[in-house]
Amino acid sequence: MSLDPATVRRIAKLARIGVAEGDVARLQGELNGILGWIEQLSEVNVDGVEPLTGGAQIALRLRADAVTDGHIADAVLSNAPDRVGDFYTVPKVVE
Amino acid sequence: MTYTLQGSTGTWEIVCGLEVHAQVISRSKLFSGAATDFGSEPNSQVSLVDAAFPGMLPVLNEECVAQAVRTGLGLNAQINLNSRFDRKNYFYADLPSGYQISQFEQPIVGRGEVEVELPDGSARRIGITRLHLEQDAGKSLHDQDPSRSFIDLNRCGVALMEIVSEPDIRSPEEAGAYLRKLRTVLRYLGTCDGNMDEGSMRADVNVSVRHAGEPFRTRCEVKNVNSIRFVMLAIEAEARRQVEIWEAGQEVHQETRLFDPARNETRSMRSKEDAHDYRYFPDPDLLPLVLEQGWVARLKASLPELPDAKRARFVRDYGLTPYDAAVLVAEQSIAAFFETVASGRNARLAANWITGDFFAALNRTGRTIETSPVTAETLGALLDLMADGTINGRIAKEVFEAMVDTGAAPADIVQQRGLRQVTDTGAIDDAVNAVLAANPDKLAEYRSGKDKLFGFFVGQVMKAMAGRGNPALVNEALRARLSV
């Protein structure tokens, strides 16, 4: 599998990362290197092996349905760059 | 009943599937211990998990899992004992983590089916493709400030069930019937309140059109339609738009659209161009969800009687028509009301009163079955007064209206207003004689063969008796008198 420059630009756009045109070729090389490295996994023969979801056979832990959190608006909003009352605000996003 | 659109090149049929987002009833959120109540102070029901602070980890709410399983069972669907959570990646200001935890490849519930009843009395089965658990996003307010949007994360992380139907729906009416049925089932199960006004049930509508017998054509998705009526209007508007495009020799492009109820049309959502590239991958913070068969079986054993079973029982045990039974089981409270009234009484008469005068009175007075001044007990007492001959059917309507106005017991109203039925044959004979004496011309016409005037005499006698005459005795007395 190898990425072309258009795919690199699209991935950057979806991830909201600004990539200068001059950097595309370098990123393409780096990403293809990573993908090639991961692709070594396809060399392993997994015939007859059940799909595996993790190294340990641990079941997901569940919690009881109880209200144990909240009412910490100040902590939640502590990093808000433009707080108004108890709201975050962002530049207007509307259709 | 086939629904079609007539175009200039022929007849088109609609192909529609619905994705319903139903908010799960639970005290706390899907992956955090913050509360789920609607309408609280902004950002007061937010944990650091919901606000996606670095390093915070999600822990799954067992009750939300149980609610999804109950819903799956209620939709006659396959429960998947192994399922998994995935990240659905997209950027929006009310989604602080940049991804929604959802279930993509292995949902908790697989195929099922719902039977829907149509207004013409026919029934159709609509397939369920899947149901999965996912997080809701926060809420953006765009009308608070000219240049900024305000973000409230109270809803962020609340559990949703996304219920996806097969493209089995063929008309706006079927879509409406499907949504109503789904809402009824969710309410019976207690897994979602089904309140579309508060956004606890929302629908995405997939629509395409085709000539009968063709394979599917390209579909468009109309996002976030928030009432059953708007879903029906959106399907029709979108189908018409697509017919026009095909008939003009152009192609429909797959895209996401919005329904504008004010203009009754759909329009493109350009900002969602990349929306279908969500780059799903398994959430590394969460292990696979493994359910025990015994736990699922215990949930199944604890389900309430569901609408289809209740309707079948009403038809079987009370002798109701399937239509009346379907109307009465739409809400559990109405079904319970009916059973109280019908118990030990004429069940069909009880059904007629409830679906007729009683519902009309609720509509007229803006009451619900919970706040109605007429209770199941007092309506039952009214039927008893008719059954034992204390009042006739016509007076019963008058007593019922007084019950709506005053909330009083029917026996008291009959007593106070002197509405007891007159069964004294002497009094009835007097009234008959008076009416015949007052209408010699009509009497002559009747005698010369105008039989239809019998009804006129009955009406006049009842009027003379202020409606209180026993109808059978009045008929009998008139017939005896006129045959002489």
Side-chain angles (χ1 to χ4, degrees), chain B residues 283-314:
Chain B
D283 191 316
D285 289 340
L286 291 160
L287 289 158
L289 174 59
V290 180
L291 307 179
E292 285 173 31
Q293 187 67 60
W295 185 73
V296 173
R298 283 194 295 282
L299 288 176
K300 185 166 190 175
S302 69
L303 294 184
E305 182 185 33
L306 290 170
D308 287 346
K310 204 184 272 287
R311 192 193 55 197
R313 182 167 62 81
F314 280 13

Side-chain angles (χ1 to χ4, degrees), chain B residues 5 7 12 209 238-248:
Chain B
L5 290 174
W12 297 82
V209 295
E238 177 58 17
R240 290 208 169 279
R241 184 187 74 90
Q242 292 182 14
V243 166
E244 280 171 26
I245 292 174
W246 291 121
E247 295 206 325

